[in-house]
Each structure stands twice: as structure tokens, then as C-alpha cells.
Amino acid sequence: MSATDPRSRGAAGRAKRPTPGRHAIETRGVTLAYGATMALDDVSLRVPVGAMAALVGPNGAGKSTLLKVVLGLLPAASGEVLLLCERITDARSRVGYVPQRSTVNWDFPADALDVVTMGLYRRLGLFRRPGARQYAAARDALDHVGMADLARRPIGNLSGGQQQRVFLARALVQDPDLYLLDEPLAGVDAASEAAIVAVLTRLNEGGKTVVAVHHDLNTLSRYFTWLALLNVRLMGQGPLQEVAASDAFERAYGAAPARGRPFWASVADDQEHRWEGRPDRAELPA
Amino acid sequence: MQVLFDDIGFVIMATGVLAAGSTALLGSFLVVRGQALLTDAISHGIVLGIAVTFLLTGVTTGPLQLLGAGAAGVVTVLLTEALSASGRVRRDAATGLVFPAMFALGVLLLSLFARDVHVDPHTVLLGEIGYVWLDRVTLFGLSLPRSLVVLGAMLLVNLTFVAAFYERLSVAAFDEVQAGLHGLRPRAVTVALLGLTSMTAVAALDAVGVVLFVAFAIVPAVVGLLVARRLHGVVMVALLTAAFAAVAGYQVAVWLDLSIGGCMAAMTGIPLLLALTPVGRAWQMS
Amino acid sequence: MPSFLLDPIVITVALGAALLGLTAGALGTFAVLRRESLIGDTMSHAALPGVAVGFLLTGERSLPLMLAGAVVTGLAAALFSLYLSGRPRIKRDAAMGTSLGLFFALGVVALSYAQRMPGAAAAGLETFLFGQAAATLRSDLVLLGCVTLVALGAVSLVWKQAKLMTFDPDFAVAAGADRRVIEAFLTAALAVAVVIGLQMVGVVLMSALVVAPAVAARQWTASLGAMFWLAGAIGAASAVTGALISALSPGLATGPLVVLVATAVVCVALVTSPRRLAQVDG
């Protein structure tokens, strides 16, 4: 893809170059199986510090599983994981995790501000309540994601996009060096998507590493500059353009290239049309 | 002062308030976790603990019973989880199997071996709050009903636990994974919650028996959820509902010559109905 | 053959137990597959006020009336639970627990009122807590037999729809089934399964007799029809065994014995059945 292609002028034009030699995430030969099924097979991921990285792959490829192994939530059968060059347990305080919305109890009686403040609980001792300073920091984080006026809204009354932004604010308030997000833009309205991407980009420009499991291949080059392709095995990793130019997409998705367009664009088309089983309106009987 | 503790009416009401209050306090945290029916499971499971402790030690009350039955409550929950995790039995069926079986065994053992010792199945099921004023101990120079002392201690312990671990209990209920990542020990806190709930169930047995315990554990918390939007509001309303139900229930029972425990439990329904009417809906506090 | 087995009381008890165990166990299949085990527990505890009211209406023991009352309050509790779970922040289990606790409390209150009346002892109201096989009368067998026939008959009439609704509700609706009607029917069937055994097993433990046989049967078969009848057989066998032991040992309530036998069968099933089972289907 040439440098003048509009698509290549997205995030790639603005982000800093990743610092060579230091890895935000490094996994060595991570393998995990559920009974007879392989979930992850010899995955050696090396995400550089300062990357704006996307982790993509077909459904069931193990992306969420890999995130969980990286965070130490799931034990790998074999292999090692280093976060910010340290063991997971030592590095956790510098990692902000933004999970999928479905993993959480949205019926819990709390408002947006309460949830964001929860990000600061690890520093509270026994018998200690969060004070004015914690609440101020939480309000600040909500403001960053554009939700200052919704601070007191019960979380059950928030839209999917708003919930996602609350989660991001909860991570923001901890000021981590590495952000791990699991499908942060899935099922999210346009305004929320814009707000989330803006925040992530600003963070990345400030030197933070962002790694997101991303569901939408169409927006890859617009938001990210580094890519890892996973389908149980790591099919490719590296700067977005390099991976796109290789055959990694074909191997990960099993898709054939279309003439004149990069492999991954045709894969994106396939993904979009995959669930459209209905015939065109014109073809329906009168 | 002694006059107060010699007044049967006061003693019964106070016992009810302490039992209902302790139960509703801990029950609130189980309800907001989406595990309301664990209180049902625990309250039935402890009966096996009571039976076994009695068979092993010959005591029917006191710290040994609190501990033994307390452990049984936790075992009920762990056994249910293990059965459900095996994959052979769904969670709801596992719950509906384990605690009835433990309860059945406990009742059988009590019928066979504890006939003369006033822990018969009927008392265990329904309690006999009308008689709590009989069994006394001396404390601070006062002759106090034993049950009152135990429940008072239980309430203090529960309040202390909640005050110390309030934030951990919240995050564990809302987002257990995040709690773990932040080092807030959700698993340990939850087991402690279950253990204290079990001990409270044993302590409250004299007063209300196992099934009425469930009413006090769940209904006040539900009233709280209907009326309040944040956790501390839910807990406050739950405590108020429990206290009201105990006092009002006693008055109604005396007036109409009905089961005291039953009336106390049933009176939790009054605040519930109020909360469900438009009046309650309009009066939403934070 | 030991002579006690020919005792008319023992035969009555055994027959009654077999009937209710068969119905409860078989109908429990749908409850377990539809993940409604805990609704059964709610309905069972909520049956207590209905039983008491059934007695209070006539002042004497009338099993049909008491069981009818049980069904009414049981279903009312299920409905109330459904209503509550629609409110914000109230989950299904909290709604069920609320129903269970409140209705049972009302039952305890009604029981304490009823026990002051003459004839209450004869009605054996207390036995509805833990069950008492020996309280089964010959006339009860008629009721139990009829209910069993009607319940099992009704289920076999709507077998196809019930099966579809259990495994693939969306497809069933798309194919023209009325979701509400079938769900109402299956809930009513569960209510019947729960109520039929109340006198022998008691309100506190009856739901376990509905759940355990189906769970045991599930370990051995993946066919719905086979599971249905196997669960019925296990339910009947557990009930008969428990009831007979109880009838022959004065002072031992029936409910705990029946449940322990049924649970033992589940344990055996879990240990001896093949490791992996196919999804339950036709």
C-alpha cells in the first residue's frame, strides 16, 4: 500500500515509533488446551513498548484466552509470560485491564462514578473508605472519556458504549503503563467509539502501550499501527503494513486474495457479508 | 436495666431485631452478587453441621456449634460448586441436590440421636423464639438471655466485617476478575462472607429457624434494591426493613395469637409491597 | 415374603409412593432440562399456605382441597417471582428467594392459626413440613392415581411441542408454537409434580425428589423419552423405598429418607456412567 493511500494515513501517521528492544508483552511458547482442543499453540508474542497494537483473528481463535493468560487469569500448560519485562504478579499494578462488558454484573447497585472509583480500591487499607481525592480522580477520568455529566447515572441505565467508557475510565484512573482491552469497540455506538479511540490514541501518543483485541478488520489501519494475527497459532506479528503485506491474513482466516486489493481488505469484506444470508430485496418474490 | 431484660416482650423483640439485622446485613451482599439462593442452601446445609457437631461433641449450643455448623455452610457451597464444575450437572440442579441432601441427612441424624435434646427437626426448621427468654447467662452482673448475647455478638462481628471489607465485598460482587487482579482477594472475602452467614444462621436458629432465615436474608435486601440505587443505601434500607419486621411482627403475633417467627418474617413483605407501589417507585433515594 | 409387606397400610403407602414418585420424577425431566430446579423449590415451600388454607376452608382434612390450595399458592409464588424479576436490579434468584421466603412465612403463620382449630391434629397439617408416608389413606390413592394419569397423559399429548420448546425455543416459536401457552403448561406440570408428593415428602424437601431422579437419569441416557421414563422409575423406586422405611420406623419422617435414597441413586449414576454424553435430543 503506498504512503499516499488514504487508508494508510490513519493512525500510522500520528503515533510514535515503538521503542526497539523493550517489550510490553512477551510470551514464549505459550500453549493451552481444553481437553482435546487446542486453545493456544506455541504462541510467542512480542509486543513492543509504546505500540498501538491490535490482536485479531477469527472467532474461537483464542484471543480472549491469550489476554487471560497474559494477565495470569488462566494458567498456561507451558510457556512463560513477561509483562513490562517482569513477572505477571509484579507488573499487575502497572497494567490496566478493560474486559468485555458481558463479564460483569450490571445489576449491581452503583453509579458510573462508583465503578470508576473501584479502580483505586487496591490502595485502600482495611476500614478505609475512598475520600475526596479518590472521587476527584474518578471524576477526572470520567471527564476524559466524555462522561462527566453521567457520573451519577446507575450503571444498569447506561448504554453499551457508555458502559465501555466507564470501564476505560476505571483503567485510566490507575494510570497504568500498559492497557489491555478485550473488544473495546464491539457493540458500541459511534460517539462512544470515537471517544474511546481518541482517548486510546492520546494515551499512546503519551508513551503508553495499548493492546486491544479488535473485532472489526475494516477499522484496523485507521486505529492501530501494530498487529498480531492469531488463530490458535500466531500467524504473524509486527507493524501493521508489514503484516498486511505478508500472507499472514490468508493463513489466519483461510481467505483467498481478491485482485488489486490487499488480502486483508477482502477478508474484511468477507467478514462483513458473512452473516448476510438474506437475498437482495429485488430477488424476493413479489 | 435488669427489668428490661426480664420483660419477655422486650427480649423477644430484641432477639428478633438482632437476628433479622445480622441476617439482612450479610444477606444484602449475597443478594447483590446474584447469589441470593445461597442463603437457602447455607441455612439448610448447616443442619448437617449441627447434627455432626452434636454427635461428635455432645453440645447443642456455643462456639463449637457456631464453628461446626459454620463450616458446614461453607462446605455446602463448595460442594455445589464442585458438582456444577464437573460438567455433569447444571448449577441450578446442583444447588437443588446438595443442600436438600445435606439437610435430609442432618434431620435424619437429629431424629435418630438427638430426640431428647431440644434440637428436633421442627425447632430447627421454624425456631422457637417464644422460649428464648428462658435460657440465661450472666454477663456484666446482668442475667441475660443466652440467645440475645450470642446474636448481639454476631451482629457486632458482622458489622465489623462489613466495615472493614466493604470495598472488597463491593468489587467482588461487581467484577470478581478485576478484584483479583487488584489484589483484593475476592475469593477469600467471599468465603469469609459465606462462613459468617452460616454462623449467623446457627445463631439465629433459636429465633427463627432455617427457612425463615432465608426470608430475612433476601427480602430486606430486595426492598433495598427496589428503593435505593447505590450499595450503602441498599444495606441501610435492608437493616431498617429487618428491624421493622421484627418489631411489627411480634406485635401482630401477640395481637392475633400467631407464630411469632412466622409473623416477623412475613412482615418483611409490608415494606416490599410498599416499595412495589407507585409510592415506592417515586421515592427513589441514592 | 415377610408378612408386613402384605399389611394393607404398607401396600397403600407403597402404591401412593410409587405413583407420586413416578409423576414427580418424570415431570422433573423438563424442569431440570429447562434449568427450573429452583423454581420447583420455590413452589414447594410456597405450597404451605395453600395447604393450610385448604384445611381452613372446611375445617377437616381433604387432600384434594389441600393439594389444590398448594397448586394455587405455588403458582402464585412463581408468578410473583416472575413479576419481581422484571424490576431493575432484581435478578431471578433474588425474586425466587423473596417469593419462597414470604410465602413460606405466610404458611407458617397460617399453620399456627390452623393448629388452634379442632380437627387440625387429624388433618395432620404438621406432616406437610417433612412428610409422613403413614398418613396416606386409601382414598388418597384415587386422587394420586387420577393426577398421575392426567399429568402424564397431558404431557404425552403435547410431547412434541414440549420437547421443541425445551431444546430450541426460537425454532419452536418460528414454527408456530405459542411460547406462552407451552411455558405455562410446563410450569403447571412442574407445579403438579411438586404438589403431588407434598404429604409424603413435605414442602421442604419435595423439590429434591423432582430434581434428583432426572439428574440421575441424565447421566445414563441422551434420549428425552428414555430420560423421562427412567427418571419416573427412579423417582418411584426412591419414593417407595423411603416411604416403606419410614412407615416401618415410627418417629422417622418420610421426606428425608426419600431424598437420601434418591440422592444415593444420583451418586451411583455420577460414578458409574460413561464420561462423555451427547447433547440430549430425540
Side-chain angles (χ1 to χ4, degrees), chain B residues 52-272:
Chain B
V52 168
T53 309
F54 171 71
L55 285 175
L56 289 178
T57 67
V59 300
T60 60
T61 60
L64 274 177
Q65 273 290 351
L66 280 179
L67 285 173
V74 177
V75 164
T76 311
V77 177
L78 294 178
L79 211 53
T80 306
E81 280 193 16
L83 185 57
S84 155
S86 75
R88 316 284 221 99
V89 182
R90 294 254 176 261
R91 171 154 296 253
D92 65 312
T95 311
L97 272 178
V98 171
F99 80 77
M102 290 179 67
F103 180 75
L105 186 57
V107 167
L108 188 63
L109 289 173
L110 288 176
S111 304
L112 287 173
F113 303 114
R115 263 298 174 206
D116 321 311
V117 205
H118 197 60
V119 263
D120 60 287
H122 184 266
T123 315
V124 161
L125 191 65
L126 301 178
E128 273 187 348
I129 197 172
Y131 297 101
V132 295
W133 58 280
L134 283 170
D135 186 12
R136 294 184 164 250
V137 297
T138 315
L139 206 62
F140 309 127
L142 291 170
S143 163
L144 300 170
R146 189 193 46 81
S147 175
L148 201 64
V149 172
V150 171
L151 283 169
M154 202 69 234
L155 182 62
L156 266 166
V157 168
N158 290 348
L159 281 170
T160 311
F161 174 71
V162 169
F165 294 100
Y166 188 78
E167 278 70 30
R168 288 158 198 253
L169 285 165
S170 296
V171 199
F174 173 65
D175 187 350
E176 189 158 357
V177 167
Q178 190 78 200
L181 287 176
H182 285 203
L184 295 170
R185 314 287 309 278
R187 200 70 188 135
V189 160
T190 304
V191 169
L193 177 65
L194 294 173
L196 284 176
T197 306
S198 307
M199 288 170 67
T200 308
V202 177
L205 218 52
D206 276 347
V208 287
V210 298
V211 186
L212 297 175
F213 172 83
V214 176
F216 284 124
I218 299 182
V219 184
V222 168
V223 175
L225 281 173
L226 287 171
V227 164
R229 298 192 302 189
R230 299 172 67 208
L231 185 61
H232 61 259
V234 170
V235 175
M236 293 292 198
V237 171
L239 288 172
L240 285 172
T241 303
F244 164 80
V247 171
Y250 175 72
Q251 302 297 333
V252 168
V254 164
W255 172 40
L256 295 174
D257 190 19
L258 298 167
S259 153
I260 300 177
C263 284
M264 285 182 172
M267 288 302 273
T268 57
I270 303 290
L272 179 71

Side-chain angles (χ1 to χ4, degrees), chain B residues 9-78:
Chain B
F10 172 78
V11 165
I12 296 180
M13 274 192 289
T15 307
V17 168
L18 291 175
S22 310
T23 307
L25 178 63
L26 297 183
S28 302
F29 289 94
L30 284 171
V31 168
V32 298
R33 292 175 63 89
Q35 292 185 315
L37 286 173
L38 275 192
T39 57
D40 195 18
I42 286 175
S43 72
H44 287 74
I46 59 168
V47 175
L48 182 58
I50 293 174
V52 168
T53 309
F54 171 71
L55 285 175
L56 289 178
T57 67
V59 300
T60 60
T61 60
L64 274 177
Q65 273 290 351
L66 280 179
L67 285 173
V74 177
V75 164
T76 311
V77 177
L78 294 178

Side-chain angles (χ1 to χ4, degrees), chain A residues 87-127:
Chain A
R87 285 197 342 258
I88 303 173
T89 40
D90 298 325
R92 265 196 193 141
S93 56
R94 295 158 56 208
V95 178
Y97 175 49
V98 179
Q100 289 188 24
R101 296 192 302 279
S102 56
T103 61
V104 150
N105 174 17
W106 293 104
D107 285 329
F108 186 77
D111 53 34
L113 189 64
D114 287 326
V115 172
V116 177
T117 314
M118 283 182 187
L120 294 169
Y121 279 0
R122 62 153 39 116
R123 301 185 201 146
L124 291 175
L126 289 183
F127 289 104

Side-chain angles (χ1 to χ4, degrees), chain A residues 106-190:
Chain A
W106 293 104
D107 285 329
F108 186 77
D111 53 34
L113 189 64
D114 287 326
V115 172
V116 177
T117 314
M118 283 182 187
L120 294 169
Y121 279 0
R122 62 153 39 116
R123 301 185 201 146
L124 291 175
L126 289 183
F127 289 104
R128 292 239 170 284
R129 304 278 93 83
R133 204 148 33 109
Q134 280 82 14
Y135 281 117
R139 278 192 188 278
D140 214 34
L142 275 175
D143 194 34
H144 267 100
V145 298
M147 294 228 346
D149 50 339
L150 292 172
R152 286 292 176 197
R153 175 82 56 96
I155 54 179
N157 295 5
L158 296 174
S159 74
Q162 290 167 338
Q163 288 172 346
Q164 198 64 56
R165 283 193 272 166
V166 167
F167 268 176
L168 182 55
R170 184 177 66 172
L172 273 178
V173 96
Q174 303 159 44
D175 195 25
D177 294 317
L178 167 63
Y179 286 81
L180 286 177
L181 307 104
D182 198 349
E183 303 212 7
L185 303 176
V188 153
D189 59 277

